[in-house]
Amino acid sequence: MASGTGLILLAMAALLVPAILATEFIVGDGSGWTIGYDYQAWATGKNFYVGDTLVFNYAVGVHNVNKVNQTAFQDCTIPLSGALESGKDVITLATPGKKWYICGKGKHCEVGKQKLAITVMDAAPAPGPSSAPPAITGWAAAALAAVLLKHLVV
């Protein structure tokens, strides 16, 4: 029974650790994805890693999100297809490198400067030997506690 419990705990840790370490970035914070906002200033000082997510919040039909290359970003060239239009678009940063996003509505990119460029790094740095492990909170803590209690109080 003890080895089964250990395997369950190991499997839970493997599933929970990436979710705990990933960061969700709300693009534009409280302003959301809109015209007239300095997204490059917003991104300054933030570290984006593979596994993190970008959340673009905006009014449906007013804006959209297009992932583009550097040239399309600089020229505000709107792709013919592939726009995200849900009003709460979540993009998982799956690969390292430069990423470019623009709004394809009207002249929002050119005139409203509704565009974002970021650099995604390969992986979050491992904590140093003197730092404490990340805290498990919320639903992850509750799930882990429930499993531990179930298998330890037998």
Side-chain angles (χ1 to χ4, degrees):
M1 184 68 165
S3 65
T5 302
L7 288 175
I8 290 171
L9 293 175
L10 184 60
M12 283 190 65
L15 292 173
L16 293 176
V17 167
I20 293 167
L21 295 179
T23 300
E24 178 181 86
F25 292 96
I26 307 298
V27 176
D29 297 321
S31 296
W33 184 238
T34 189
I35 57 173
Y37 187 89
D38 188 347
Y39 291 100
Q40 292 322 118
W42 172 83
T44 299
K46 290 178 174 58
N47 294 314
F48 301 96
Y49 294 100
V50 169
D52 289 347
T53 56
L54 298 177
V55 179
F56 291 83
N57 292 319
Y58 57 90
V60 175
V62 177
H63 303 291
N64 64 20
V65 179
N66 291 272
K67 183 176 179 184
V68 295
N69 63 27
Q70 183 176 12
T71 302
F73 177 83
Q74 291 169 337
D75 298 341
C76 287
T77 304
I78 310 305
L80 297 176
S81 63
L84 303 175
E85 301 180 316
S86 75
K88 186 176 174 71
D89 302 320
V90 179
I91 297 174
T92 300
L93 303 173
T95 58
K98 291 286 257 178
K99 310 294 178 198
W100 300 273
Y101 305 95
I102 63 174
C103 180
K105 296 287 187 172
K107 300 273 184 194
H108 294 193
C109 180
E110 296 117 318
V111 178
K113 302 299 180 197
Q114 194 173 356
K115 54 201 288 186
L116 170 67
I118 62 170
T119 300
V120 178
M121 294 178 274
D122 196 15
S130 63
S131 59
I136 298 176
T137 60
W139 66 267
L144 187 56
V147 169
L148 285 172
L149 287 174
K150 179 179 178 184
H151 291 286
L152 294 178
V153 185
V154 174

